[in-house]
């Protein structure tokens, strides 16, 4: 919590003594004015994001962090490409006379079409669409309006096959009739086994057409009067799919995720007594899979240091059983592989002590490593896939070496800045009540309105004593340190024009090499006040 008292309010009392009606060059004198500048407090939450901290029954703290490294989803495994089916219906005879309302598709052979989708080794028998659009574009060179019936017998919604009708105008002069209609296929179940139910990736479509029954006379149609129907299936994403998902390897990375645990620490090093990482892979696909992880690493972009994980999971195949379909809610039960890494079976502690801001990895996912053992009965649901993640647990028992954090507090010297020529010098006093089992080296910097450092305020004597400790190295009280900070004439300008003061603290644990436990109530309180030498002059 920060409490400000603007110096300007104190100086107003002095300024009121300026009597404008007096003659210029009147008497003047120097006076000292004291004013609090800021009050603030640091806790462990200034070092580590508070939401990641868990208070233990004994009030010690544990740092916990959960992260999903990668999520291999349905749309990564099954990619149904946008596909256009173009059918051109031409009379097999030179000409034909049609009556109003007469069906013309029997005279245009091939009105039922089978379309096979190339799915890169994936063979689908059934798919329920999460989303998908079908665009139908019709060009009519017959000189009569035509009714078009478009059917997908293998696509059903609530058991009813897709069936729609639309109209397209007839040719006028040399300009053919034209229409375009879009249909939403979301929720449709598509049987992709073909007319004899022995195929894969196959969709049936049927087109029927009639001359406008309300026309007034017959129409001659020649073999130069085709009916052209183009059907475009696009953005097809399954909600559910069943079949064989192939053996196409999915290589992931190298990729990096943000790692926010130590984002508030700007420099220094940290030794941790123990670190535990649970690495888990969840298979929510109804197909066996194998995962190989060549690399997991931590990277500190501030220092450029990268630490690669050495552990049993690196470059050793992880075999995952297929998920179990429940036919209820949830629709499946995933299989889970989990391994715990600690100080004894890995270098996970070094990985974390790197104080990274990035976690990187490379991964290979191998579906169906033993082939089509299910007989086209692999399954997958939208929102389910293969997930790799980690759960990190760090008891806050540590050794800190120049562990550095920074924080800013706002100040306001507006009135003083306008009368800066009357300020001669200033003595700042920093009162620090330290409840941490750390010593702290403190530096204060003035910041302008652009958060740019304009000056430093403290010299070399800036050590704050650690709290008194009991036999178990637990802080039992706060210890106060008082630092006097002279501010000469050369620094006055930067001080009174400052909008914020930047506090940088470098912490070091005592009792090294012993590890120090961190408790929930540890804090260090700062209070800064100033004694200003100010000239009061009567005009």
């Amino acid at each position: 919590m920060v409490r400000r008292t603007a110096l300007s309010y104190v100086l107003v009392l002095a300024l009121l003594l300026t009597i404008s009606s007096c003659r210029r060059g009147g008497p003047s004198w120097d006076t000292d004015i004291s004013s609090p500048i800021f009050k603030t407090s640091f806790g462990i939450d200034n070092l580590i994001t508070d939401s990641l901290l868990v208070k233990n029954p004994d009030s010690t703290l544990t740092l916990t962090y959960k992260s999903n490294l990668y999520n291999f989803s349905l749309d990564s495994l099954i990619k149904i490409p946008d596909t256009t089916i173009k059918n051109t219906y031409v009379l097999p005879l030179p000409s034909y006379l049609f009556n109003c309302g007469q069906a013309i598709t029997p005279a245009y052979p091939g009105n039922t079409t089978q379309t096979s989708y190339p799915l890169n080794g994936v063979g689908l028998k059934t798919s329920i669409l999460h989303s998908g659009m079908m665009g139908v574009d019709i060009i009519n060179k017959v000189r009569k309006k035509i009714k078009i019936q478009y059917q997908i017998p293998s696509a059903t919604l609530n058991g009813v096959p897709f069936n729609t009708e639309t109209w397209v105008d007839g040719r006028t002069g040399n300009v053919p009739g034209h229409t375009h209609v879009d249909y939403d296929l979301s929720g449709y179940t598509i049987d992709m086994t073909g007319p004899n139910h022995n195929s894969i990736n196959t969709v049936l479509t049927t087109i029927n057409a009639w001359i406008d029954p309300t026309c007034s006379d017959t129409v001659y149609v020649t073999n130069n009067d085709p009916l052209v129907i183009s059907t475009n299936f696009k953005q097809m994403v399954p909600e559910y799919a069943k079949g064989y998902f192939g053996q196409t390897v999915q290589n992931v990375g190298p990729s990096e995720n943000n790692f926010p645990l130590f984002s508030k620490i700007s420099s220094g090093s940290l030794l941790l007594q123990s670190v535990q990482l649970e690495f888990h892979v969840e298979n929510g696909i109804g197909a066996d899979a194998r995962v190989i992880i060549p690399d997991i690493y931590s990277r500190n972009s501030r220092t450029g240091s990268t630490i690669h994980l050495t552990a049993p999971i690196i470059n050793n195949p992880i075999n995952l059983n297929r998920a179990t379909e429940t036919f209820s809610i949830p629709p499946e039960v995933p299989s889970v592989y989990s391994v715990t890494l600690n100080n004894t079976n890995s270098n996970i502690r070094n990985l974390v002590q790197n104080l990274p801001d990035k976690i990187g990895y490379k991964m290979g996912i191998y579906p169906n490593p033993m082939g089509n053992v299910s007989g086209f009965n692999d399954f997958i649901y939208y929102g389910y896939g293969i997930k790799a993640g980690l759960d990190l647990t760090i008891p806050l028992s540590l050794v800190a070496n120049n562990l550095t954090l920074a924080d800013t507090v706002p100040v306001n010297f507006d009135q003083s800045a306008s009368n800066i020529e009357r300020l001669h010098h200033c003595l700042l006093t920093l009162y620090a009540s330290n409840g941490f089992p750390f010593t702290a080296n403190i530096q204060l910097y003035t910041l302008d309105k652009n958060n740019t450092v304009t000056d430093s305020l403290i010299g070399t004597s800036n050590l704050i004593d650690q709290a008194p400790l009991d036999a178990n190295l637990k802080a039992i009280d706060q210890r106060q340190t008082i630092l006097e900070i002279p501010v000469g004439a050369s620094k006055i300008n930067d001080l009174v024009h400052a909008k914020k003061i930047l506090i940088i603290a470098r912490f070091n644990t005592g009792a090294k090499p012993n590890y120090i436990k961190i408790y929930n109530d540890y804090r260090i309180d700062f209070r800064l006040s100033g004694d200003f030498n100010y000239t009061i002059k009567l005009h």
Side-chain angles (χ1 to χ4, degrees):
M1 182 179 106
V2 178
R3 186 177 66 194
R4 298 182 302 181
T5 301
L7 182 61
S8 57
Y9 297 125
V10 177
L11 295 182
V12 165
L13 295 175
L15 293 173
L16 289 175
L17 297 176
T18 301
I19 304 174
S20 61
S21 62
C22 293
R23 60 184 176 85
R24 300 174 61 88
S28 65
W29 63 92
D30 291 346
T31 186
D32 292 328
I33 300 173
S34 297
S35 173
I37 296 174
F38 70 73
K39 183 178 180 181
T40 189
S41 180
F42 283 180
I44 192 64
D45 52 323
N46 290 92
L47 281 169
I48 297 167
T49 302
D50 185 58
S51 61
L52 303 176
L53 292 168
V54 175
K55 181 181 176 181
N56 301 316
D58 63 353
S59 293
T60 59
L61 294 173
T62 296
L63 178 60
T64 62
Y65 177 71
K66 298 178 183 292
S67 175
N68 287 323
L69 285 182
Y70 181 70
N71 186 1
F72 176 76
S73 58
L74 180 148
D75 55 346
S76 299
L77 182 64
I78 301 173
K79 298 181 184 296
I80 300 179
D82 292 354
T83 302
T84 298
I85 306 168
K86 184 176 182 178
N87 295 304
T88 302
Y89 300 100
V90 180
L91 284 174
L93 303 174
S95 63
Y96 199 95
L97 180 64
F98 288 97
N99 296 314
C100 296
Q102 184 177 352
I104 63 173
T105 39
Y108 287 83
N111 64 324
T112 297
T113 303
Q114 296 185 42
T115 301
S116 294
Y117 285 86
L119 299 182
N120 194 27
V122 174
L124 295 185
K125 295 170 64 178
T126 302
S127 176
I128 300 174
L129 293 182
H130 175 78
S131 60
M133 296 297 296
M134 180 182 72
V136 179
D137 194 87
I138 306 171
I139 295 175
N140 177 24
K141 291 191 175 182
V142 176
R143 288 178 293 120
K144 291 291 184 183
K145 189 175 182 180
I146 291 178
K147 182 174 74 170
I148 303 292
Q149 181 191 51
Y150 195 98
Q151 296 176 314
I152 310 177
S154 56
T156 58
L157 182 63
N158 299 322
V160 179
F162 181 89
N163 183 6
T164 187
E165 295 180 352
T166 189
W167 291 87
V168 56
D169 291 334
R171 172 167 57 91
T172 302
N174 293 323
V175 179
H178 174 260
T179 191
H180 179 89
V181 186
D182 287 317
Y183 301 99
D184 187 356
L185 296 181
S186 302
Y188 274 85
T189 298
I190 302 178
D191 181 348
M192 305 183 76
T193 60
N196 299 317
H197 302 290
N198 58 359
S199 300
I200 55 173
N201 303 338
T202 301
V203 176
L204 298 178
T205 56
T206 299
I207 295 173
N208 293 298
W210 295 266
I211 299 294
D212 181 5
T214 64
C215 68
S216 57
D217 55 2
T218 59
V219 59
Y220 275 99
V221 179
T222 73
N223 54 15
N224 291 320
D225 300 328
L227 183 65
V228 181
I229 302 179
S230 298
T231 307
N232 176 236
F233 294 93
K234 56 187 177 181
Q235 301 170 3
M236 309 284 276
V237 178
E239 178 75 28
Y240 169 81
K242 189 171 186 177
Y244 172 55
F245 299 154
Q247 293 181 296
T248 300
V249 178
Q250 305 288 328
N251 289 311
V252 181
S255 183
E256 288 186 338
N257 292 346
N258 291 328
F259 191 72
L261 268 69
F262 307 112
S263 59
K264 296 184 179 182
I265 299 174
S266 59
S267 64
S269 63
L270 189 66
L271 300 178
L272 299 165
Q273 186 169 11
S274 65
V275 176
Q276 180 173 295
L277 173 70
E278 181 186 343
F279 178 81
H280 49 85
V281 186
E282 179 182 292
N283 183 13
I285 299 174
D288 299 327
R290 178 174 294 155
V291 173
I292 297 178
I293 304 171
D295 191 21
I296 295 177
Y297 64 88
S298 73
R299 183 169 68 87
N300 185 325
S301 60
R302 173 179 48 81
T303 64
S305 174
T306 299
I307 304 294
H308 295 268
L309 179 66
T310 56
I313 62 173
I314 300 299
N315 278 323
N316 287 320
I318 298 172
N319 292 315
L320 304 172
N321 295 325
R322 64 185 56 226
T324 302
E325 198 165 14
T326 65
F327 304 100
S328 62
I329 299 175
E332 48 100 321
V333 176
S335 67
V336 178
Y337 167 89
S338 179
V339 62
T340 298
L341 306 180
N342 51 40
N343 300 356
T344 60
N345 65 356
S346 71
N347 68 334
I348 185 61
R349 180 165 54 178
N350 292 340
L351 207 79
V352 175
Q353 289 177 165
N354 190 35
L355 301 181
D357 56 337
K358 302 288 183 181
I359 292 292
Y361 58 92
K362 290 173 63 178
M363 189 180 305
I365 300 174
Y366 300 77
N368 288 307
M370 296 177 290
N372 188 11
V373 296
S374 71
F376 290 96
N377 283 301
D378 296 349
F379 67 86
I380 190 170
Y381 288 86
Y382 185 84
Y384 293 82
I386 296 177
K387 302 177 182 179
L390 53 87
D391 297 342
L392 191 64
T393 303
I394 308 171
L396 287 185
S397 178
L398 52 87
V399 175
N401 293 293
N402 289 321
L403 201 64
T404 304
L405 66 85
D407 198 8
T408 60
V409 290
V411 292
N412 187 350
F413 296 104
D414 288 345
Q415 184 64 37
S416 301
S418 64
N419 295 277
I420 189 172
E421 73 279 357
R422 300 186 182 188
L423 285 171
H424 302 307
H425 60 81
C426 170
L427 179 65
L428 301 179
T429 304
L430 180 67
Y431 301 88
S433 297
N434 188 6
F436 276 99
F438 305 157
T439 60
N441 289 85
I442 298 296
Q443 182 56 278
L444 302 181
Y445 296 90
T446 53
L447 303 180
D448 63 15
K449 63 181 180 180
N450 298 316
N451 288 325
T452 301
V453 172
T454 56
D455 210 340
S456 62
L457 296 178
I458 299 182
T460 56
S461 299
N462 58 356
L463 181 66
I464 294 174
D465 292 332
Q466 70 178 25
L469 308 180
D470 64 13
N472 296 315
L473 304 180
K474 180 181 179 181
I476 55 177
D477 199 356
Q478 287 189 319
R479 176 167 287 158
Q480 188 176 84
T481 300
I482 300 175
L483 299 178
E484 292 188 341
I485 309 165
V487 180
S490 63
K491 294 180 180 285
I492 286 287
N493 182 68
D494 290 330
L495 176 62
V496 300
H497 284 93
K499 298 301 181 184
K500 296 178 182 177
I501 290 182
L502 170 66
I503 305 173
I504 294 181
R506 293 179 175 86
F507 292 104
N508 288 276
T509 51
K512 295 176 182 176
N514 296 305
Y515 291 96
I516 300 293
K517 293 181 179 180
I518 305 301
Y519 288 80
N520 181 60
D521 58 350
Y522 284 176
R523 301 200 72 78
I524 180 169
D525 300 320
F526 294 105
R527 179 167 57 89
L528 183 68
S529 64
D531 292 325
F532 295 84
N533 183 260
Y534 195 84
T535 296
I536 297 177
K537 185 176 182 179
L538 297 180
H539 294 282

